[in-house]
Amino acid sequence: METAKPQDNELLEHLESLERSLDVPLVPGEVGQWLETVQSELESTERALRACIDSKHSKEFQQIGNEDPGLFGRVREMQQTDQENLQRSAVLLARLAKLKPLADAVGADEKQLEKPIENVVKHGLEFVTEVRKQETVIDTWLLEAYDRDRGVGD
């Protein structure tokens, strides 16, 4: 099986922006701004992910199924992964929504938020990795559907 590289698209650009915002070191007194930036980037990424799932992925899944019906099980797995990635995004947005009022309440004692923010960063980066991986998996199986040897001889 040949591995395909994900095509450059809007989703990958949003993932890069989200990753950069998650990697920004926390500066004392700017935790609230950091949370707002990460939340904004995550919301943009989620919109791009939904659009990609609704248009690009659905077409690609159809192409894979049409070209090689034997890959229907793989298509179902990829569809499930899309839903899992949307769920990851929703969980992260909920965590960020809970942290914002806490950041406002703790004021200068931001040390209290260290662990919850580390958790958001960890899960945020895992989300970025999983979505990128899904893009590679879809591209690879699409390529495989066209190139696959089905054992039909001359």
Side-chain angles (χ1 to χ4, degrees), residues 51-63:
C52 188
I53 289 169
D54 291 343
S55 61
K56 181 178 175 264
H57 290 186
S58 64
K59 289 176 187 170
E60 290 171 333
F61 295 156
Q62 177 107 25
Q63 285 176 300

Side-chain angles (χ1 to χ4, degrees), residues 39-73:
Q39 182 173 1
S40 175
E41 292 293 346
L42 182 56
E43 288 169 347
S44 295
T45 301
E46 182 183 46
R47 282 191 299 275
L49 177 59
R50 284 186 187 282
C52 188
I53 289 169
D54 291 343
S55 61
K56 181 178 175 264
H57 290 186
S58 64
K59 289 176 187 170
E60 290 171 333
F61 295 156
Q62 177 107 25
Q63 285 176 300
I64 292 168
N66 288 344
E67 189 61 32
D68 188 346
L71 293 176
F72 179 71

Side-chain angles (χ1 to χ4, degrees), residues 5-54:
K5 288 185 179 177
Q7 300 171 6
D8 291 338
N9 61 31
E10 184 180 353
L11 175 60
L12 295 179
E13 291 170 13
H14 282 284
L15 289 168
E16 287 175 21
S17 294
L18 175 59
E19 184 177 38
R20 277 193 305 275
S21 68
L22 287 164
D23 284 336
V24 168
L26 289 176
V27 176
E30 296 185 12
V31 170
Q33 179 61 42
W34 181 88
L35 289 168
E36 288 175 15
T37 300
V38 170
Q39 182 173 1
S40 175
E41 292 293 346
L42 182 56
E43 288 169 347
S44 295
T45 301
E46 182 183 46
R47 282 191 299 275
L49 177 59
R50 284 186 187 282
C52 188
I53 289 169
D54 291 343

